[in-house]
């Protein structure tokens, strides 16, 4: 089973990917935060440049409900040597959904069908899809899945939550099971409908969680990890049997954070965005480092990169 690093807007850009791959590893494929401009802007272009992702298996993700925009971005990505692209039909953000993009495109299955028909008719690259299971009800999933099964999706990445749940509440494993049984029928002599692979995404935070899913759904080709990997950067490599040395935890984390610090300083034109990116990451690393709320307060209050680095050194000294 392959392990994917989920795209997380504002965090998992190329600086992060390079630092994570160098210090922790374990992820077979990384997905970019979504691209949405027909002509890539400077930030988007830097994020997908092959020279900024050397040695990393990267799949760019596109967020749009316009066929022409998708095709334009896919053609650009093909020119840069990419061989696959991912369509984001899972983002639950209210502003995204209001524009009928991300999970918002799932509201009307007929419109979803028209979108996919245009994309699969004109895409210069194979397309995988990352999806939610509807807006607010499990009853929506059957119609959405029926649409997906019409198309040669390279891989269907299913986060079995509704858009209205965002990232809270229980995942709906019945929805994943329905898709699994549709693509991998158990009846003797049955044949797969097409070559679509399935990937599971959602609330996998421990090695045992991943193992349990692997046992229950053995034909699942991959799992996508997001918050689980941010909260425990050792999760992917531990799943693959390379248990990290506890004695090296502090050094590895220090190297990782130093690479991020230097990378963001070089990438960003001002301190503010670089500082915000690193603070956001610490909202996940807090438990990994065993830091208390009171110990974290100086980090949240830091206003310069110098202040931030001093606080980080203090936090690391307690590991």
């Amino acid at each position: 089973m392959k392990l994917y690093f989920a795209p997380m807007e504002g965090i998992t850009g190329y600086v992060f990917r390079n630092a994570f791959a160098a210090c922790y590893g374990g992820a077979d494929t990384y997905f970019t935060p979504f691209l949405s401009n027909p002509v890539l802007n400077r930030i988007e272009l830097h994020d997908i440049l092959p020279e900024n992702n050397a040695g990393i298996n990267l799949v760019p993700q596109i967020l749009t409900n316009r066929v022409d925009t998708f095709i334009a971005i896919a053609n650009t990505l093909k020119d840069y040597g990419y061989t696959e692209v991912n369509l984001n039909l899972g983002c639950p953000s209210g502003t995204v959904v209001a524009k009928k993009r991300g999970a918002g495109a799932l509201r009307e299955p007929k419109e979803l069908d028209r979108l996919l028909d245009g994309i699969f008719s004109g895409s210069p690259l194979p397309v995988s899809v990352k999806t939610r299971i509807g807006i607010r009800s499990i009853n929506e999933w059957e119609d959405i899945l029926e649409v997906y099964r019409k198309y040669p999706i390279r891989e269907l990445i299913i986060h079995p939550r509704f858009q209205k749940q965002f990232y809270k509440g229980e995942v709906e494993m019945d929805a994943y099971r329905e898709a699994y049984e549709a693509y991998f029928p158990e009846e003797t002599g049955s044949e797969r409908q097409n070559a679509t692979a399935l990937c599971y995404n959602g609330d996998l935070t421990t090695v045992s969680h991943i193992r349990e899913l692997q046992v229950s759904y053995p034909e699942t080709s991959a799992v996508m990890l997001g918050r689980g990997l941010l909260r425990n950067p050792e999760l992917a490599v531990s799943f693959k049997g390379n248990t990290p040395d506890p004695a090296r935890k502090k050094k590895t984390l220090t190297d990782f954070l130093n690479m991020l610090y230097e990378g963001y300083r070089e990438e960003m034109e001002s301190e503010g965005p670089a500082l915000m990116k690193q603070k956001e990451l610490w909202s996940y690393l807090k438990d990994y480092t065993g830091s208390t709320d009171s110990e974290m307060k100086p980090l949240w209050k830091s206003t310069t990169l110098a202040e931030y680095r001093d606080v980080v050194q203090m936090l690391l000294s307690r590991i």
Side-chain angles (χ1 to χ4, degrees):
M1 178 179 282
K2 293 182 178 180
L3 300 183
Y4 297 161
F5 206 132
M8 301 188 72
E9 188 68 17
I11 297 180
T12 59
Y14 76 91
V15 171
F16 178 93
R17 293 192 295 267
N18 281 284
F20 188 90
C23 297
Y24 291 103
D28 297 291
T29 301
Y30 296 77
F31 286 69
T32 70
F34 61 74
L35 308 169
S36 57
N37 299 303
V39 178
L40 301 186
N41 61 36
R42 183 188 67 84
I43 294 175
E44 293 172 330
L45 183 59
H46 280 198
D47 198 48
I48 62 95
L49 285 175
E51 56 264 37
N52 288 341
N53 296 280
I56 290 175
N57 186 30
L58 185 65
V59 176
Q61 184 181 86
I62 298 175
L63 176 77
T64 186
N65 62 356
R66 294 179 57 93
V67 172
D68 56 346
T69 296
F70 185 96
I71 301 302
I73 298 173
N75 275 312
T76 298
L77 294 170
K78 182 180 180 182
D79 290 342
Y80 278 102
Y82 287 95
T83 58
E84 178 184 347
V85 68
N86 180 258
L87 173 63
N88 181 327
L89 296 176
C91 179
S93 166
T95 54
V96 169
V97 170
K99 297 177 181 179
K100 298 182 179 180
R101 301 188 298 179
L106 305 176
R107 192 181 300 276
E108 298 291 340
K110 290 182 179 179
E111 291 298 319
L112 174 64
D113 196 358
R114 279 192 279 270
L115 174 65
L116 294 183
D117 181 63
I119 285 173
F120 281 94
S121 295
S123 178
L125 296 173
V127 180
S128 62
V129 172
K130 187 174 187 294
T131 186
R132 293 283 178 130
I133 59 173
I135 302 299
R136 63 176 70 247
S137 169
I138 190 67
N139 297 327
E140 301 169 48
W141 179 232
E142 182 177 357
D143 291 338
I144 294 169
L145 182 58
E146 183 179 351
V147 172
Y148 288 149
R149 294 181 66 199
K150 293 172 61 176
Y151 296 97
I153 298 171
R154 168 169 280 191
E155 189 165 39
L156 185 60
I157 304 167
I158 301 173
H159 183 153
R161 278 192 173 97
F162 313 115
Q163 179 269 325
K164 293 297 183 183
Q165 289 178 280
F166 287 81
Y167 298 96
K168 298 179 180 179
E170 296 294 323
V171 293
E172 296 281 347
M173 289 307 299
D174 285 346
Y176 187 75
R177 185 177 300 109
E178 182 179 351
Y180 186 88
E181 292 174 351
Y183 283 104
F184 301 99
E186 293 184 354
E187 294 83 358
T188 302
S190 295
E191 295 183 0
R192 290 196 58 193
Q193 185 209 24
N194 57 41
T196 296
L198 286 188
C199 171
Y200 177 87
N201 172 227
D203 284 9
L204 296 176
T205 59
T206 67
V207 170
S208 61
H209 287 160
I210 304 172
R211 295 285 184 212
E212 289 168 9
L213 185 124
Q214 188 176 33
V215 170
S216 299
Y217 303 97
E219 297 295 335
T220 298
S221 63
V223 294
M224 178 173 277
L225 308 173
R227 291 173 296 166
L229 264 180
L230 295 182
R231 289 175 178 147
N232 177 12
E234 301 172 358
L235 177 59
V237 71
S238 295
F239 173 75
K240 294 188 172 181
N242 301 315
T243 305
D245 181 356
R248 293 184 57 82
K249 176 177 179 177
K250 178 178 178 179
K251 183 181 186 310
T252 302
L253 180 57
T254 300
D255 291 345
F256 175 57
L257 292 171
N258 283 341
M259 287 185 69
L260 289 179
Y261 179 84
E262 297 300 336
Y264 288 138
R265 281 189 61 191
E266 183 177 342
E267 178 197 23
M268 302 292 182
E269 296 178 350
S270 61
E271 285 196 350
L275 183 60
M276 290 302 297
K277 280 180 178 289
Q278 292 170 97
K279 283 186 177 182
E280 186 172 3
L281 177 59
W282 269 96
S283 68
Y284 296 97
L285 290 177
K286 172 180 171 291
D287 292 337
Y288 179 68
T289 59
S291 302
T292 65
D293 289 339
S294 61
E295 290 170 341
M296 292 295 296
K297 282 183 180 179
L299 186 140
W300 305 138
K301 292 181 178 180
S302 61
T303 58
T304 68
L305 287 176
E307 289 179 3
Y308 160 83
R309 198 168 206 184
D310 287 342
V311 176
V312 168
Q313 289 176 348
M314 176 190 67
L315 293 172
L316 293 177
S317 71
R318 296 171 179 171
I319 295 178

